[in-house]
């Protein structure tokens, strides 16, 4: 038994040297492999492809083994057959590698005896040698500032952090986030968690200044008490925690067990966890991104849950109202004062001065009427949040000019930062080819400008309601401590 | 007081002659107006533009008034200022027009005294003269076989029928449906329902042979008992009824009142309605389409609620499992027999022989492994429904070839009709430009082939669960009657 190597955030996310064990000597193959990925992503440290065969790949010398490398090696990526992992892991430990990321699958998650015993062997090597392990059966680290990634993901860094037991999830979340203004400074897919566990990564991100929002996809947690304490520290620090806790239905528990060999825990225990820590519970990978958008971009912070709804289309306004109410937001009637002001801007073409507000059709409605309504509502003390909807396909369906969408978006982008209330836009997803073009353009403009945008009212209402709940919970917690 | 003109489905959806009252004499304007729309959509009956000014538009003679038209007129569309509606409506009645569709807004929905009194006046004209009214404040009729539409909507007809109090909703639903294999033979947006009401249109569609699925967006219903009886007739006839009942939250009730002047009723009353009629309750416009997709394409009809999940990505499989379980579907363990068969097809690359099944990566996994898994599961007596997921962006995120998506879709389209169990595919929506291209292509191929496709697991699980509930309810009802 050796003492485990102490690892810090820097060791995981900014290693100074990386060995790629199992790099191909085939130039074309390795260009799409780990070595190529790191070079392409801008890794600035020392990089060592390792393979018993070959001499050089992508301009780098190939080493026959990790121990043949002359300089020290901080971090090794193992991309070899599962059966070779134990021997190569021992070599890494002998070389003094601090962290090995075992990409390879074929361990306990297979449910087969060979896989299980292979995982036990890996575990005992970690215990014997003290080397630290990411995985096995995982994609590992995405760290734009450290030049590390595992896929074709955006290079832009940001204040979001992600810890995910599923590799498929981490790629999607980072990718989807990048189209919504959510950028991850640090993300990790950690798979079977034979050594480093969710709680270890969680501790790193909680203590990291860059990371201001933490998202977790979890199947099992090993040290529940430590995990809970870290969640409470997030609350004190004001770092919102967004969590998808998987494996809490009977069938989900079985699935998690065979996916990563995790013990998922019980619904009751996790309900208590969410109730006590204020962690924001979500139920799908897409919702993780939606929730982060609300937390990062809904600004200024909503002071309450009273929503004004503004948009074209009577039925969609009614449906939106009910979606808000069903998730605990309020869509109150306007005060006589607000109503009188709104009535002054309504036209014969259909603007309606009630909540939900129906703005008039045509250019005047899309532009001037829209802006006026925002200004009036933003000044109304009975409203905390403004939700607006634009259907970019209206012109495809009803004729008219696609420019109307631009006018509405122009109007929104012109004024949203000057208003004293947070605004969120629901830009329904393009279902027609023409509509899709418009949506993409409008979506990108809004994301670039920092306007909060959602694709469906249902998602918007849910995540905004949870955001308000979170702030209320945090305020109570902070006041209680004082 | 005159007896009201009796109207049938044919009068509403297949009129032999239409007067467009308020047609523009400006060729360009009217090309995008009602006359142009009807001509473009292939209306085959007699068409009469009416305007005191002008002589000819789009090759048709302009009449100075409805009464100046020599031949009989079945149907009139009134697109004039609200204040002119009463006089022109009287003219229509004098001419013997059976049905007037008042497109114009500016009536009770404005909440203003002038609008309310104008609506009262229209109502009394209907009562005095017996002319029947669609609207006011609505888009009216979409009937591909009758050559009628109100927007740039698909010409293809089909077994779906739609009755919607909101115009914005009806356009979206018809348009979104057309990308998902759902085609509407008859749709109507009926607005303030001064005369013909949801129940009247409902009666027409219940009795219509073409209409096999009925979707409703309702704010208020005037004759609750008649409406209930029609819903029960739908159940007997085996025509599934999909309903978004708006206005059942406090704020939603207010919104519905000012949208179409409707009295929405209470949640308790409508809960009882859904419980007794088996009508399928949905909560958003998008869900109406999703629900129709499940009803029309999930074939053969699911015999129970036990689901097998097949796809790439462990985390997404776990999340999908829980989404199914949370809405009342079951994701049971496989029998030893099924498991043994599945184990024979698993490879080292990661296929996992449990429910949810994780298919292996690479071409073999995407193609042969995928098909084999389908065949094995379809033959397992413990499974009623197969749900599968393909992430068209996997290749964008993780590299590899976009062809893998095609291989998976090829495999699915090759076999899904030969299997004895219903299959639904979740094809996650494209969030990257490259992914979007792939999604659009795959989406279209599946829709054309009649494969049930959804965009998110959450929607798929919800509508499939409701579909199973509906069939179970209908079976109990039919058996009870016997």
């Amino acid at each position: 038994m050796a003492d485990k190597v102490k690892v810090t955030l820097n060791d995981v996310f900014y290693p100074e040297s990386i060995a790629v064990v199992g790099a191909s000597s085939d130039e074309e193959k390795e260009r799409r492999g780990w070595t190529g990925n790191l070079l392409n992503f801008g890794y600035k440290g020392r990089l060592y492809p390792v393979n018993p065969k070959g001499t050089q790949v992508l301009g780098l010398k190939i080493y026959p083994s990790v121990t043949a490398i002359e300089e020290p090696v901080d971090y090794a990526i193992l991309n070899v057959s599962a059966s070779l992992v134990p021997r190569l892991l021992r070599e890494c430990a002998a070389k003094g590698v601090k962290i090995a990321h075992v990409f390879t699958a074929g361990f306990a998650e297979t449910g087969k005896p060979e896989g299980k015993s292979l995982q036990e062997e890996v575990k005992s090597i970690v215990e014997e040698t003290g080397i630290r392990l990411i995985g096995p059966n995982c994609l590992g680290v995405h760290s734009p500032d450290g030049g590390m990634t595992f896929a074709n993901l955006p290079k832009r860094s940001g204040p979001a952090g992600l810890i995910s037991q599923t590799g498929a999830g981490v790629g999607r979340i980072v990718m989807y986030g990048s189209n919504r203004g959510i950028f991850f400074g640090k993300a990790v897919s950690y798979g079977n968690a034979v050594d480093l566990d969710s709680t270890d990564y969680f501790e790193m991100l909680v203590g990291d200044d860059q990371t201001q929002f933490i998202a977790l996809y979890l199947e099992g947690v090993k040290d529940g008490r430590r995990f809970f304490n870290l969640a409470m520290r997030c609350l004190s620090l004001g770092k919102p925690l967004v969590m998808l806790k998987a494996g809490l239905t009977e069938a989900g528990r079985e699935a998690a067990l065979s996916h990563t060999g995790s013990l998922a825990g019980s619904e009751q225990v996790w309900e208590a966890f969410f109730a006590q820590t204020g962690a924001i519970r979500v139920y799908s990978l897409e919702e993780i991104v939606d929730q982060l958008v609300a937390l990062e971009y809904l600004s200024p912070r909503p002071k309450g849950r009273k929503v004004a709804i503004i948009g074209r289309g009577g039925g969609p306004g009614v449906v939106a109202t009910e979606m808000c109410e069903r998730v605990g937001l309020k869509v109150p009637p306007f005060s006589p004062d607000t109503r009188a002001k709104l009535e002054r801007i309504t036209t014969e073409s259909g603007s309606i001065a009630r909540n939900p507000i129906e703005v008039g059709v045509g250019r005047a409605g899309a532009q001037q009427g829209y802006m006026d309504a925002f200004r009036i509502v933003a000044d109304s003390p009975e409203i905390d949040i403004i939700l607006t909807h634009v259907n970019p396909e209206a012109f495809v369906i009803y004729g008219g000019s696609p420019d109307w969408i631009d006018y509405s978006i122009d109007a929104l982008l012109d004024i949203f930062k000057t208003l004293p209330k947070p605004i969120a836009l629901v830009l329904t997803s393009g279902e027609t080819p023409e509509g899709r073009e418009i949506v993409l353009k409008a979506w990108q403009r809004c994301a670039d400008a920092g306007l909060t945008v959602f694709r469906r009212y249902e998602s918007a209402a849910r995540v905004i309601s949870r955001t308000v709940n979170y702030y209320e919970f945090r305020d109570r917690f902070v006041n209680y401590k004082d």
Side-chain angles (χ1 to χ4, degrees), chain A residues 310 345 351 359-360 363-374:
Chain A
I310 305 180
I345 65 158
S351 291
V359 294
R363 178 167 176 164
Q367 199 169 27
Q368 193 59 46
Y370 205 44
M371 284 212 268
D372 290 343
F374 276 114

Side-chain angles (χ1 to χ4, degrees), chain A residues 185-241:
Chain A
K186 297 175 183 76
V188 59
S189 140
Y190 64 93
N192 295 10
V194 156
D195 175 33
L196 290 171
D197 185 28
S198 52
T199 319
D200 300 303
Y201 305 109
F202 190 18
E203 189 169 43
M204 293 174 200
L205 295 195
V206 172
D208 176 39
D209 287 339
Q210 183 191 38
T211 307
Q212 292 305 313
F213 307 91
I214 300 177
L216 294 165
Y217 169 89
L218 283 186
E219 294 181 356
V221 167
K222 282 173 198 155
D223 185 346
R225 174 49 54 183
R226 194 169 139 233
F227 189 85
F228 173 83
N229 289 339
L230 286 166
M232 291 306 290
R233 189 150 13 125
C234 274
L235 185 61
S236 309
L237 291 171
K239 293 191 181 183
L241 184 60

Side-chain angles (χ1 to χ4, degrees), chain A residues 121-136:
Chain A
E121 192 177 351
V122 164
K123 199 172 175 178
S124 60
I125 295 169
V126 167
E127 280 160 10
E128 280 167 38
T129 65
I131 192 170
R132 305 308 300 266
L133 209 75
I134 299 175

Side-chain angles (χ1 to χ4, degrees), chain A residues 180 182 213-215 240-244 278-298 452-454 459-471:
Chain A
R180 308 279 302 277
I182 300 297
F213 307 91
I214 300 177
L241 184 60
V242 177
M243 262 180 76
L244 197 170
I280 302 170
R281 185 174 189 178
V282 298
Y283 296 88
S284 71
L285 301 175
E286 293 88 353
E287 266 194 348
I288 291 179
V289 176
D290 282 334
Q291 189 62 61
L292 289 171
V293 167
L295 289 163
E296 189 167 345
Y297 289 104
L298 212 55
T452 316
V453 192
F454 299 101
S459 326
R462 276 198 296 218
V463 300
I464 290 172
S465 180
R466 290 188 197 126
T467 304
V468 174
N469 291 348
Y470 169 74
Y471 287 129

Side-chain angles (χ1 to χ4, degrees), chain A residues 297-301 303 308 310 370-380 383-388 411-424 451:
Chain A
Y297 289 104
L298 212 55
S299 168
R301 189 196 129 163
K303 294 227 158 57
I310 305 180
Y370 205 44
M371 284 212 268
D372 290 343
F374 276 114
R375 290 212 183 85
I376 292 167
V377 167
D379 284 335
S380 307
I383 293 300
D384 303 310
I385 302 163
I386 304 172
L387 256 176
T388 182
L412 262 170
L413 295 184
D414 262 5
I415 60 160
F416 87 99
K417 281 190 176 157
T418 70
L419 299 179
K421 302 275 164 72
I423 296 188
L451 178 67

Side-chain angles (χ1 to χ4, degrees), chain A residues 109-110 137 165-167 192 217 219 254-262:
Chain A
E109 84 283 357
T110 58
N137 179 28
Q165 207 150 359
T166 174
N192 295 10
Y217 169 89
E219 294 181 356
E254 288 299 315
L257 187 62
S258 72
H259 176 218
T260 53
S262 297

